[in-house]
Amino acid sequence: MKILYGVPGEGLGHATRSKVVIGWLLDQGHEVQVVSSSRAYQMLARNFPGRVHEIKGFHLAYKDVTVSRMRTVALTLRTAPENLRVNFARYRELLGAFAPDLVISDFESFSYFFARWKRLPLISIDNMQIISRAALDIAVPPTEREHLQLARQIVRAKLPRSRHYLVTTFFELPLLKPNTTLVPPIIRPEILAAQPTRGQHVLVYQSATTQTNLVPLLQALPGQEFRVYGFNKEENHGNVHLRAFSEQGFIDDLASARAVITNGGFSLISEAVYLHKPICAVPIPAQFEQFLNAAEVEKLGYGRHFTTLTADSVRAFLYELDEFAEKLSGYQQDGNNVLFAALGQQLVATVANGQPE
């Protein structure tokens, strides 16, 4: 089967997860071409040379550590003409050289519009659709209700009328809509191969490097060792060690950590859950998906959810590590086999059903 796979360029989480699925599809004998943008394009192009086409994607704009709607709108309007020109060139390129039978999208719009234009069946694989297609089981405070409504509008508008939705999640929720299957998170092979141990350090991942008080905040807990990623520099500040980016170094530090402090991003939380690492989640404001992940971490007893990171909140989190570890010990996941089986069934069904009307 010939498959077009769409991967958004915002962040590397989508690319890391999609890389696993694309590799599996190629191993199964399918012909796969990929569209992506920004850093995700660069990473995927290195791993799948000759298969990845660069497009111009949509990006979020930040003010301090919060997503700024006004800046995001301004950024989108400023870059839209050039983005459209480049993307239509990619349409022509794909039409001339590749005629897919199926499109798979990881919350990416170019591939969706390509599928609609060519009347091709579309399969969605991402974690975002849970916001729209499942019944939430957490309390949503008034401060988050507007963000929830906005997130639902975005998710519903992103990939409507897909043939099937494979929704990756580390928590189970009742489904509200048909053609939807919940599957465990996609775990990269390096994490599957890691042997978790319980060292003395806490791994800290800070994606919004504008939080300038992070180092002194962690220095207020001198009895704890923190290994911090996100500033992309090698510096030692007493008990706080800043780490430059290194994929293997990060994996080693994650596998041997006693706990993890992060935002509400799905990829790292999923990997921490898989490795049974207690999680302190501080979601980026105005991103409901991150709020949901953090709230579920606390609901499941896997860690704590805080709106802001303080020395006191870190201290409270570390005090309960044994209880969190006990809860996490009950989490089991058979690698990516459940996802691969579900995707294989959808590919077979697509061949049997043919293209949509």
Side-chain angles (χ1 to χ4, degrees):
M1 179 179 289
K2 294 181 179 180
I3 299 171
L4 177 66
Y5 205 115
V7 184
E10 184 74 19
L12 288 179
H14 292 277
T16 301
R17 298 191 294 267
S18 296
K19 174 186 170 184
V20 175
V21 183
I22 293 166
W24 180 81
L25 290 169
L26 291 172
D27 289 343
Q28 299 301 304
H30 299 289
E31 174 62 29
V32 183
Q33 295 290 317
V34 183
V35 290
S36 189
S37 61
S38 192
R39 291 195 302 156
Y41 161 76
Q42 296 171 8
M43 189 270 272
L44 291 169
R46 289 194 300 269
N47 285 274
F48 305 106
R51 296 186 180 276
V52 186
H53 305 262
E54 186 175 16
I55 58 174
K56 297 296 182 180
F58 171 83
H59 300 282
L60 298 177
Y62 291 85
K63 181 178 181 181
D64 297 326
V65 296
T66 304
V67 174
S68 169
R69 295 186 193 176
M70 292 302 296
R71 291 188 180 186
T72 296
V73 170
L75 177 64
T76 301
L77 292 175
R78 187 170 65 250
T79 58
E82 175 64 12
N83 290 356
L84 289 173
R85 185 190 67 79
V86 172
N87 288 350
F88 275 111
R90 293 297 177 267
Y91 273 126
R92 292 193 295 271
E93 176 185 328
L94 288 169
L95 283 172
F98 186 64
D101 306 300
L102 170 77
V103 175
I104 297 176
S105 175
D106 182 354
F107 212 66
E108 192 279 319
S109 296
F110 174 94
S111 51
Y112 170 80
F113 288 119
F114 187 94
R116 285 287 163 256
W117 184 27
K118 301 303 294 179
R119 303 172 66 85
L120 295 172
L122 176 75
I123 295 175
S124 166
I125 304 178
D126 66 68
N127 63 295
M128 296 291 293
Q129 292 291 339
I130 201 164
I131 295 173
S132 166
R133 309 189 72 82
L136 304 186
D137 64 350
I138 58 168
V140 179
T143 54
E144 290 294 331
R145 289 172 189 168
E146 180 183 357
H147 303 149
L148 169 59
Q149 293 306 314
L150 178 62
R152 278 181 172 158
Q153 291 170 11
I154 293 173
V155 170
R156 288 169 180 167
K158 192 71 173 181
L159 302 171
R161 303 186 306 280
S162 296
R163 173 159 286 180
H164 202 85
Y165 298 84
L166 297 175
V167 183
T168 55
T169 177
F170 63 90
F171 49 91
E172 292 286 335
L173 294 178
L175 292 174
L176 297 173
K177 298 182 180 181
N179 304 321
T180 306
T181 303
L182 299 184
V183 296
I186 299 169
I187 305 297
R188 50 184 164 154
E190 296 84 356
I191 297 295
L192 294 177
Q195 298 297 319
T197 59
R198 186 171 182 177
Q200 295 302 310
H201 67 276
V202 176
L203 183 140
V204 182
Y205 176 67
Q206 177 60 48
S207 61
T209 55
T210 51
Q211 186 172 337
T212 55
N213 69 330
L214 181 62
V215 171
L217 183 157
L218 298 175
Q219 287 178 318
L221 291 88
Q224 305 291 336
E225 177 189 355
F226 299 96
R227 299 181 185 176
V228 182
Y229 286 83
F231 294 93
N232 199 24
K233 59 176 71 173
E234 289 283 346
E235 293 180 2
N236 291 324
H237 300 269
N239 63 318
V240 181
H241 307 287
L242 304 186
R243 302 286 209 187
F245 174 75
S246 165
E247 183 174 10
Q248 190 57 53
F250 182 86
I251 292 170
D252 291 342
D253 281 344
L254 173 60
S256 59
R258 62 195 295 251
V260 173
I261 298 174
T262 184
N263 53 39
F266 182 75
S267 292
L268 180 51
I269 287 180
S270 297
E271 292 179 349
V273 169
Y274 180 81
L275 294 173
H276 296 169
K277 304 295 180 179
I279 303 154
C280 175
V282 186
I284 293 175
Q287 290 199 29
F288 183 80
E289 182 255 341
Q290 291 210 1
F291 172 87
L292 174 62
N293 294 333
E296 288 290 348
V297 162
E298 183 156 303
K299 181 179 177 63
L300 292 167
Y302 295 166
R304 292 294 302 273
H305 166 206
F306 298 108
T307 55
T308 57
L309 192 66
T310 66
D312 285 342
S313 62
V314 174
R315 192 176 290 108
F317 163 66
L318 295 175
Y319 183 78
E320 300 181 82
L321 288 189
D322 289 342
E323 289 81 357
F324 301 145
E326 182 178 357
K327 288 286 188 179
L328 282 160
S329 67
Y331 181 86
Q332 300 296 325
Q333 178 177 336
D334 183 18
N336 298 308
N337 291 330
V338 173
L339 167 66
F340 292 156
L343 179 55
Q345 291 175 356
Q346 291 305 315
L347 297 180
V348 171
T350 298
V351 173
N353 294 335
Q355 297 187 2
E357 296 297 326

